[in-house]
Amino acid sequence: MAETYTLHVAGLTRELPICKVNDHMDIAAFIMFSDVELTVACAAELLKKCPEFDVILTAEAKGIPLAYEMARQSGKQWIPARKGPKLYMQDPVVIEDESITTAGKQVLVIDRKDIDYMNGKRILIVDDVISTGGSLHALETLAAKSTGTIVGCCAALAEGDAAKRTDITFLAPLPLFFH
């Protein structure tokens, strides 16, 4: 039987499988993508802790369910940064980043019209888990292409050293397992 980690977040309990990252580290696999109850509960709890905002910016794909639900509950707009340019994008803005959960470089793209939409607005950056901060940095770089102001960065969980950060809002820490 595989090892598991018991997570308590947003009033819910989940058993997470422990996955090998490399010879020295394992992680608890937190996947809220198909867990509607968890997504709704985390969105409600994060909205209580987040500053006032006008628009949510998130990265494709794992941040989308949480960002969507936070937008639905708050009635605010949300913008997904895609993993590559899409045909409907008339003027794509591209940023590269590295993430602990993605092998190699990751590309994040939003259309210029989304940059224009963020102009003058209070921007909340949302992700499912903050680990190294690579995805956050890429989203901050995209947001900085607008005249909007980033008012906060939040996630359901902060993994490893990210849980020690004071510049992010999260609901619970997620440990890394070293061996």
Side-chain angles (χ1 to χ4, degrees), residues 8 12 29 39 54-55 65 68 75 80 97 101 117 137 149 162 167-168:
H8 304 285
L12 302 172
T39 302
D54 302 309
V55 61
Y68 170 83
D97 100 281
T101 58
Y117 181 82
H137 179 69
T149 303
D167 63 328
I168 60 174

Side-chain angles (χ1 to χ4, degrees), residues 18-53:
I18 306 292
C19 302
K20 184 177 184 69
V21 173
N22 57 40
D23 290 338
H24 308 289
M25 182 175 59
D26 297 339
I27 61 171
F30 177 74
I31 303 169
M32 75 176 352
F33 212 84
S34 60
D35 192 331
V36 174
E37 180 185 36
L38 182 63
T39 302
V40 170
C42 286
E45 290 304 310
L46 277 172
L47 286 169
K48 292 176 190 174
K49 297 177 85 170
C50 288
E52 288 292 318
F53 65 92

Side-chain angles (χ1 to χ4, degrees), residues 59-138:
E60 187 178 44
K62 293 184 299 177
I64 287 177
L66 182 58
Y68 170 83
E69 184 58 25
M70 289 176 73
R72 189 191 70 77
Q73 289 182 26
S74 68
K76 305 290 174 77
Q77 181 71 22
W78 70 286
I79 297 170
R82 302 295 185 172
K83 290 182 178 179
K86 302 298 178 189
L87 292 175
Y88 61 81
M89 294 180 176
Q90 296 178 356
D91 186 10
V93 177
V94 180
I95 299 294
E96 284 189 356
D97 100 281
E98 290 191 35
S99 168
I100 192 172
T101 58
T102 303
K105 291 234 186 250
Q106 173 177 278
V107 173
L108 292 178
V109 183
I110 61 176
D111 199 7
R112 174 73 52 196
K113 71 174 181 57
D114 293 323
I115 298 282
D116 293 343
Y117 181 82
M118 290 189 292
N119 282 339
K121 293 192 172 61
R122 297 169 295 178
I123 303 163
L124 180 66
I125 295 176
V126 174
D127 209 348
D128 64 331
V129 177
I130 297 172
S131 297
T132 63
S135 295
L136 280 187
H137 179 69

